[in-house]
Each structure stands twice: as structure tokens, then as C-alpha cells.
């Protein structure tokens, strides 16, 4: 028996049907998550071409992540009501069409709106695909399945800036959206051919007041963080009202979730210590991945004056580290347990983030490449055990609820981290003309990234202790 209660059945080979389903989900997830960061390397170009400040253009990332998180609570209902395969195919098709429209956008406002529509489609497709795989795999093979599918959820955001830099240099910024069209068509064809058809079920309509509360609360929090101390953000009173509204709306969501007949999220899952700690780590993994991934592209462009292609290539080592971690994490989970794997990965992430708080305008590239590989290893090995531990802590009937909550947590963490890190960086860059001063602004921002990494490690340590006290496998 493994440290986290999994049986030896985890060594059973994956069935051919399950392998085909994994291919379908990975293709779709890679495309949708690639778009969460592929624009990062183009933010400066978009700011210039569209005539908008960086704090406005940053909403191309934030709006996408927020929309992904906002639609997640209805995915379980939609999959049951219309069939998981139908929802998955429709979402991928909508994502492909909105990607095409993004390439023709003529203003920052239009592009942000289309990015939100993209996020809604991407938010529908990812958890539905995970639900299909989780039910097919069962708890005993969850570690390996999650390590394979997480290749898209972790590798795509880290490779996004690299791919975006190449597309930006050779085709212009519209091609960072046009590239989704052939991938989307392929994903739809594969889904129709390889995913089994499923039936529909009459299920109650999701709790709309609860859905509005969590969605509007997230938007208010992100807006408040993004405009805190920023000139033109509506003034301090508007920001204060936004943050206060976020607190009130989140409180209303919790109350509604505890009293509604069919709540958006089953918060009773958080009574389990293993689920609670794994979900908390998962939230801060989102902060680290989606929030921090915007910083290094801007550092190479602003401080070191590199072009977009060179910037993209300089970001490859982190993607290589992520890929290596994903190849190892599934087996490692089955050998030493989710908690031990997550704690080791979080510890490595903390150590590998420390050098970034010492960034200078002349930090050697070879040193940056080395620590980016190590940080990629840490990040890549964090998400898989967090998700696997969460699934193993809930009964099979609650996999849908767990999937929604985990995806919401990671997306909300990403959007909040993006807004917060952009705010800190923009404040540091204000008035900084010399490269040394600009590098200092990035170093200061990475202190916040280091804090997020520490916040990932603390619940991971608690999860490891809780799993060691668990002697019976989860049914």
C-alpha cells in the first residue's frame, strides 16, 4: 500500500480506451491553457499597437482567467444535462471560433471582451474532460492519469510565452490567436471519433444567486487588486468599494452554499483535512504558475532589451523543467504518496524562487537558465499531487464537485496573482529609467512570488502528516 492509501492496483496498465481519451483531453486542454499565457510576451506590443497602457492590456490575461473560473460551477450540471462529450465538443468549437475573432479585433476593449468569451469556452472544456477521465480511471490509476493530463495544464502556460514570441516575430500578434484554429479543428475531430457517447440526466438547475456571488466577488477582488494605487483606477474610494464588495460577495457565496438546495459548490468537501490542504496548495500553485509567468518575459524585454523571439527561447528552460517533472510525478505519487511529493515539489519551488529576488540588470543568463529549470521542476511537480490527493480524499460521486472547485481555485489564484504582481511591478517601474532600477522592480515583485511558493508548501506539509495518519484506503 502507498503512503497515501492507494493500493497496488496503481501499477495496472492503462486501457487503450483510456489512452485514447487522454489524447483527446490533452489536445483540447493544451490549446485552452496555452492561450492563458501565450499573450504574455506580446503585452508590450499590444500596448503600443492598441494604444492602451500596460495595466489595461494586462486584462487580456486576467479576463481570460476570470471567465474560465466563472463558468466552472456550471460544468457539472452541463455535462449531466447535455452529455459530457457534447459539452466538450461544443466548448472546443466555440473556443476555436472566438480565437479566430480575436485575431481581427481592432481595439483593446474588443479584444478583452473576446478573450473573456474564449475563457468561458475554455472553462467549460477542461473540467468536463477531467471528469470523463477521472470516472474512467478510478482512484487507483489517478496519479498516472493526472500526470499525463497535467502535461497540458502545467506545460502549456510555461511554453505559452515561448510560442507567443515566435508567432509574434514571424506573423504579428493576430497569429497568437489564429494558431488555435487548426488545433481546435483537430480537437473536435478527435473528440467526435474517440470519446464515447454518453447519455443525459435531468438534474436541477445550478444555484444562480450563488454563481453570481462567486463570479462578481472574483471580478471585484481582481479589479481592486489590479487598481490598488494605480492612477486612473477610479480613485482610492472606488478601489476600496471593490475590495469591500468582494468580501461581502464571498461571504454571501459561503452562506448560500450552506443553505441552498443545490449549491454551486459542495463546501462540505473541505471538512476533510486532506482535501482542504490539497485544494489550498492548488490555489497557490495557480498564483505561482499564471501570476509569475508574466514577469520573466517582461524582464527580458524591458531590462535586457531582448526581442520577442529571443525572449521566447530564453523561457524554454522552465518548460523543460516542467516537462521532466510531469514525466516523474505520477510514479512518485504512487511510491511515496501525494503529500510527500507535493511537499518536496513545493520546497524545491521555494528554493528555486529565491535567486529571482536578487535579480539585477546583469544577472548572467546561464544562471537564470539553471534556476528556471529548477523552478520548472518544482512547479511541474506541484499541481499533479495536489489534484490527485484531492480526488483520493472524496468519494467517486463527488469527483465532479472536486473538479470544479480545484479548477476554480487555480484560475482564481492565477487571476489574482496576475493582478497583484502586475500592480507591484508597475509601481516599481514608475520613474525607473535605468536598467538597474527596472531590475530592482522585478526583484521586489518576486518577493511576492516567493510568498506564494511558501504558501504552497505550508498546507503541503499538513497534507503529508494527514496522509501518514491515514491507514485505510479511500473507497
Amino acid at each position: 500500500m502507498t503512503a497515501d492509501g492507494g493500493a497496488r492496483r496503481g501499477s495496472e496498465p492503462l486501457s487503450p480506451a483510456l489512452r485514447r481519451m487522454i489524447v483527446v483531453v490533452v489536445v483540447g486542454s493544451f490549446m485552452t491553457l496555452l492561450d492563458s499565457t501565450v499573450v504574455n510576451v506580446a503585452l508590450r506590443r499590444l500596448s503600443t499597437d492598441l494604444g492602451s497602457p500596460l495595466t489595461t492590456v494586462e486584462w487580456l490575461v486576467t479576463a481570460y482567467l476570470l471567465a474560465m473560473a466563472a463558468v466552472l460551477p456550471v460544468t457539472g450540471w452541463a455535462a449531466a444535462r447535455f452529455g459530457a462529450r457534447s459539452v466538450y465538443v461544443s466548448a472546443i468549437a466555440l473556443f476555436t471560433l472566438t480565437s479566430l475573432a480575436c485575431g481581427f479585433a481592432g481595439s483593446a476593449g474588443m479584444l478583452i471582451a473576446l478573450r473573456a468569451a474564449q475563457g468561458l469556452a475554455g472553462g467549460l472544456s477542461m473540467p468536463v474532460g477531467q471528469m470523463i477521465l477521472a470516472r474512467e480511471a478510478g482512484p487507483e490509476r489517478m496519479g498516472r492519469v493526472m500526470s499525463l493530463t497535467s502535461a497540458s495544464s502545467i506545460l502549456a502556460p510555461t511554453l505559452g510565452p515561448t510560442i507567443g514570441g515566435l508567432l509574434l516575430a514571424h506573423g504579428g500578434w493576430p497569429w497568437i490567436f489564429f494558431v488555435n484554429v487548426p488545433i481546435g479543428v483537430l480537437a473536435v475531430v478527435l473528440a467526435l471519433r474517440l470519446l464515447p457517447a454518453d447519455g443525459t440526466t435531468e438534474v436541477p438547475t445550478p444555484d444562480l444567486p450563488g454563481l453570481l456571488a462567486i463570479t462578481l466577488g472574483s471580478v471585484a477582488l481582481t479589479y481592486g487588486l489590479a487598481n490598488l494605487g494605480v492612477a486612473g483606477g477610479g480613485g482610492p474610494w472606488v478601489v476600496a468599494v471593490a475590495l469591500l464588495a468582494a468580501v461581502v460577495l464571498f461571504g454571501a457565496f459561503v452562506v448560500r452554499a450552506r443553505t441552498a438546495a443545490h449549491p454551486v459548490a459542495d463546501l462540505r468537501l473541505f471538512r476533510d483535512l486532506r482535501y482542504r490542504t490539497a485544494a489550498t496548495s492548488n490555489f497557490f500553485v495557480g498564483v505561482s504558475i499564471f501570476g509569475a509567468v508574466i514577469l520573466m518575459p517582461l524582464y527580458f524585454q524591458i531590462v535586457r532589451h531582448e526581442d520577442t523571439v529571443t525572449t521566447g527561447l530564453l523561457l524554454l528552460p522552465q518548460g523543460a523543467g516542467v516537462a521532466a517533472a510531469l514525466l516523474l510525478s505520477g510514479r512518485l505519487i504512487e511510491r511515496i504518496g501525494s503529500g510527500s511529493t507535493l511537499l518536496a515539489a513545493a520546497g524545491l519551488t521555494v528554493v528555486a524562487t529565491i535567486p529571482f529576488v536578487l535579480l539585477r540588470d546583469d544577472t548572467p543568463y546561464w544562471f537564470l537558465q539553471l534556476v528556471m529549470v529548477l523552478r520548472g521542476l518544482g512547479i511541474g511537480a506541484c499541481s499533479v499531487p495536489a489534484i490527485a490527493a484531492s480526488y483520493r480524499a472524496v468519494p467517486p460521486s463527488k469527483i465532479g464537485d472536486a473538479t470544479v472547485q480545484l479548477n476554480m481555485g487555480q484560475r482564481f489564484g492565477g487571476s489574482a496573482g496576475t493582478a497583484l504582481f502586475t500592480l507591484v511591478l508597475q509601481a516599481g517601474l514608475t520613474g525607473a529609467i535605468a536598467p538597474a532600477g527596472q531590475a530592482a522592480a522585478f526583484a521586489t515583485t518576486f518577493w511576492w512570488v516567493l510568498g506564494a511558493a511558501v504558501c504552497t508548501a505550508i498546507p503541503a506539509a499538513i497534507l503529508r502528516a494527514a496522509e501518514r495518519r491515514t491507514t485505510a484506503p479511500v473507497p
Side-chain angles (χ1 to χ4, degrees):
M1 185 180 298
T2 59
D4 60 353
R8 292 184 183 275
R9 291 175 299 169
S11 60
E12 293 179 359
L14 304 180
S15 66
L18 180 57
R19 290 178 182 273
R20 290 193 294 267
M21 294 163 67
I22 290 173
V23 170
V24 176
V25 173
V26 165
V27 171
S29 298
F30 187 88
M31 177 183 66
T32 56
L33 283 171
L34 182 70
D35 253 45
S36 64
T37 60
V38 73
V39 302
N40 290 350
V41 76
L43 290 179
R44 292 193 72 198
R45 173 78 66 83
L46 287 166
S47 177
T48 301
D49 291 354
L50 300 177
S52 298
L54 184 62
T55 51
T56 298
V57 175
E58 172 264 328
W59 277 90
L60 293 172
V61 178
T62 304
Y64 184 83
L65 293 174
L66 278 175
M68 288 186 77
V71 77
L72 286 170
V74 302
T75 54
W77 168 82
R81 178 65 181 83
F82 302 105
R85 189 180 77 160
S86 298
V87 173
Y88 185 83
V89 171
S90 299
I92 293 297
L94 177 60
F95 186 92
T96 304
L97 291 174
T98 52
S99 297
L100 184 64
C102 281
F104 294 106
S107 67
M110 180 182 297
L111 188 55
I112 290 172
L114 289 170
R115 285 282 289 171
Q118 266 192 317
L120 292 175
L124 271 175
S125 64
M126 280 195 53
V128 172
Q130 288 180 351
M131 290 176 197
I132 295 172
L133 293 179
R135 291 179 180 133
E136 177 72 18
E140 67 276 4
R141 293 177 292 183
M142 192 64 66
R144 275 182 296 159
V145 170
M146 285 298 103
S147 68
L148 291 173
T149 56
S150 292
S152 59
S153 63
I154 306 300
L155 192 57
T158 56
L159 289 180
T162 303
I163 297 173
L166 294 172
L167 292 171
L168 191 65
H170 297 289
W173 68 260
W175 280 96
I176 63 179
F177 303 109
F178 290 155
V179 70
N180 292 327
V181 176
I183 302 176
V185 172
L186 174 63
V188 169
V189 172
L190 289 176
L192 291 173
R193 290 177 60 88
L194 301 180
L195 289 184
D198 53 344
T200 61
T201 305
E202 290 293 335
V203 289
T205 303
D207 178 43
L208 294 181
L211 178 61
L212 285 175
I214 185 65
T215 302
L216 296 178
S218 301
V219 173
L221 175 63
T222 305
Y223 176 84
L225 291 175
N227 292 281
L228 190 65
V230 176
W237 286 106
V238 175
V239 173
V241 169
L243 295 176
L244 178 61
V247 173
V248 173
L249 287 166
F250 284 139
F253 167 74
V254 172
V255 172
R256 186 69 185 181
R258 295 172 61 90
T259 58
H262 305 287
V264 168
D266 186 358
L267 299 184
R268 292 173 297 180
L269 297 180
F270 285 91
R271 294 175 182 173
D272 187 289
L273 178 61
R274 293 171 301 161
Y275 180 85
R276 184 166 64 248
T277 52
T280 303
S281 286
N282 184 64
F283 172 84
F284 286 106
V285 168
V287 176
S288 298
I289 295 174
F290 294 101
V293 79
I294 70 172
L295 297 178
M296 289 311 294
L298 292 173
Y299 167 80
F300 287 127
Q301 291 179 339
I302 295 176
V303 179
R304 309 300 286 263
H305 304 292
E306 301 290 357
D307 58 35
T308 55
V309 175
T310 304
T311 296
L313 295 175
L314 287 170
L315 297 171
L316 276 177
Q318 181 164 283
V322 171
L326 291 171
L327 292 175
L328 301 173
S329 56
R331 293 292 182 181
L332 195 60
I333 290 169
E334 293 173 356
R335 288 183 178 274
I336 67 174
S338 301
S340 297
T341 304
L342 178 58
L343 180 59
L348 178 58
T349 304
V350 170
V351 172
T353 304
I354 292 175
F356 290 97
V357 306
L358 306 175
L359 271 180
R360 302 194 310 267
D361 61 321
D362 59 350
T363 302
Y365 277 177
W366 68 263
F367 180 72
L368 288 176
Q369 304 299 287
L370 175 62
V371 293
M372 286 173 70
V373 170
L374 294 177
R375 192 168 188 277
L377 283 169
I379 291 175
C382 275
S383 184
V384 177
I387 295 174
S390 302
Y391 281 155
R392 284 174 170 165
V394 302
S397 61
K398 291 297 181 181
I399 284 178
D401 292 291
T403 300
V404 169
Q405 292 177 17
L406 293 171
N407 278 276
M408 286 179 66
Q410 199 170 92
R411 302 302 168 263
F412 284 147
S415 59
T418 299
L420 179 60
F421 298 151
T422 303
L423 163 68
V424 176
L425 177 62
Q426 189 70 42
L429 289 176
T430 301
I433 300 176
Q438 295 169 340
F442 282 92
T444 300
T445 308
F446 267 106
W447 276 105
W448 292 83
V449 179
L450 179 61
V454 172
C455 289
T456 304
I458 294 174
I462 300 174
L463 172 64
R464 179 177 181 270
E467 286 186 344
R468 287 180 173 270
R469 291 194 300 267
T470 302
T471 57
V474 177

